[in-house]
Amino acid sequence: RKELIQTLNELTVFPFELTSQLLPYMQERRQGKIIFITSATPFRGLPNYSPYAVARGATNAMALTFAQELARYNIQVNAVAPNFIESPTYFPQHLLDNPETYEKIVRPIPLKRLGKPEEPAELVAFLASERADYITGQIMPFAGGWA
């Protein structure tokens, strides 16, 4: 229970509070972009990661709801939901350097590789641009086909 509450506070409550503090400025300007970085985990689930999946799923739902509520102010709200992205936090180099371990890591990914950090960053940059003014209320899995 303690882990769930802490995870919800960090991954759902904090983004909600931060967004709520910024909204008046966006509403006054009648434009804005909100892009949450969540996770593809809620789309499929991941054993032993229930609190994480619950919190990220809640943030995905928050993005969908904010998109509906804020469209009238010309504020677009989306989420990029990565999984299996190269990161020393999740995939330390010693794991990636071991061919057997690397093969186990990428086995569930249809593209059979980890994503590079700049790949979801490009999507975020696009969503933040004027070229994405007609995109709102989307949760975009970014996981090499895993989700």
Side-chain angles (χ1 to χ4, degrees):
R1 178 168 153 77
K2 183 179 177 184
E3 180 186 2
L4 175 62
I5 291 170
Q6 179 181 345
T7 304
L8 283 168
N9 280 332
E10 292 171 2
L11 301 179
T12 307
V13 175
F14 176 75
F16 179 88
E17 290 177 346
L18 180 61
T19 302
S20 296
Q21 289 178 16
L22 296 172
L23 280 179
Y25 303 102
M26 292 182 181
Q27 289 170 321
E28 183 179 314
R29 289 180 39 220
R30 299 202 62 79
Q31 75 176 53
K33 305 276 186 165
I34 300 169
I35 305 162
F36 293 102
I37 307 301
T38 64
S39 172
T41 299
F43 289 95
R44 290 199 38 182
L46 207 55
N48 304 313
Y49 287 89
S50 296
Y52 180 80
V54 167
R56 290 304 198 184
T59 306
N60 286 343
M62 180 171 56
L64 295 173
T65 302
F66 273 147
Q68 294 291 313
E69 294 173 354
L70 300 173
R72 68 177 177 234
Y73 297 102
N74 191 34
I75 299 170
Q76 292 83 45
V77 183
N78 295 290
V80 175
N83 244 33
F84 296 108
I85 303 297
E86 289 177 3
S87 163
T89 302
Y90 294 106
F91 303 107
Q93 194 60 49
H94 72 277
L95 295 179
L96 302 181
D97 290 341
N98 180 318
E100 288 179 21
T101 304
Y102 185 81
E103 195 281 322
K104 286 180 185 176
I105 291 170
V106 301
R107 188 177 298 147
I109 307 167
L111 289 179
K112 299 299 180 207
R113 69 174 180 87
L114 294 176
K116 298 182 182 332
E118 56 271 16
E119 292 174 312
E122 290 285 335
L123 178 56
V124 171
F126 170 73
L127 291 172
S129 77
E130 291 178 1
R131 296 175 295 157
D133 283 351
Y134 197 64
I135 300 171
T136 195
Q138 301 302 304
I139 311 301
M140 299 173 198
F142 203 97
W146 178 79

